[in-house]
């Protein structure tokens, strides 16, 4: 790769310390309102909003700026129904077919999840996130990507944050294995399904588990 041109950093905005503290606290409050939701409303969400949130996700830092992600946004009811059907086959094997170890089922118990995934049809959009394991040059030869999992994980986190900020709810769904998604949405073999992000409005009577997040002492160590 030829060296990029370098330009002055003109987008950085410093905040006075008081404003910085307020901004950090307010954003914490915004993020504390985010909940993973499983009860979706069928209300439509404009495609434009999804596109802007995807562009926000696409600003993520990533290995060698390869941007090794591909977001397949499914609104087509028939494709959604097929995704639900195939995901539920895997989920039945997981929950009922003895595939999940008892320890894993015990860990999920408090969330009340099961093999039924109606949200895959009911929510207006499914964003199938693919990780591009390697790239292809025009002549067909492979190019390496770097830190693919980290990069796609960061971009997905930013996508979830952008959608929450836009007033929507999401569910990160990971049927396993997910290879069926390549065929259903027509992605090549160098792209690996990462997760499905279910996006929309919550149902009026949506319920969420009464769970808490760890406090600062449990999630951090400061060495000053
Ligand atoms: N993929 C299954 C199981 C599942 C696994 C974990 I780890 C969760 O946090 C939630 C569910 C499902 O979607 O039900």
């Amino acid at each position: 790769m030829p060296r990029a041109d370098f330009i002055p950093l003109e987008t950085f905005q410093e905040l006075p310390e008081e404003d910085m503290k307020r901004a950090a606290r307010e954003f914490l409050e915004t993020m504390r309102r985010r909940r993973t939701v499983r009860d979706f409303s069928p209300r439509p969400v404009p495609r434009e909003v999804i596109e802007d949130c995807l562009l926000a996700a696409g600003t993520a830092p990533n290995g060698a700026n390869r941007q090794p992600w591909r977001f397949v946004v499914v609104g087509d009811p028939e494709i959604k129904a097929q995704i639900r059907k195939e995901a539920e086959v895997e989920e039945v094997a997981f929950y009922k077919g003895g595939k999940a170890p008892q320890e894993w089922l015990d860990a999920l118990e408090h969330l009340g999840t099961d093999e039924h995934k109606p949200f895959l049809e009911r929510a207006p959009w499914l964003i199938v996130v693919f990780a591009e394991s390697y790239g292809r040059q025009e002549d067909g030869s492979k190019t390496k990507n770097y830190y693919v999992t980290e990069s796609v994980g960061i971009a997905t986190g930013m996508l979830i944050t952008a959608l929450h900020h836009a007033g929507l709810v999401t569910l990160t769904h990971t049927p396993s294995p997910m290879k069926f998604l390549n065929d259903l949405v027509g992605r090549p073999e160098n792209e690996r399904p990462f997760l499905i992000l279910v996006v929309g409005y919550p149902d009026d009577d949506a319920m969420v588990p009464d769970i808490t997040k760890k406090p600062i002492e449990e999630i951090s160590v400061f060495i000053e």
Side-chain angles (χ1 to χ4, degrees), residues 38 91 94-95 104 108 111 113-114 117 173-175:
R38 291 186 167 75
E91 297 295 339
F94 179 85
Y95 285 97
W104 193 347
L108 290 177
L111 298 176
T113 56
D114 61 23
K117 306 297 174 191
H173 180 50
T174 50

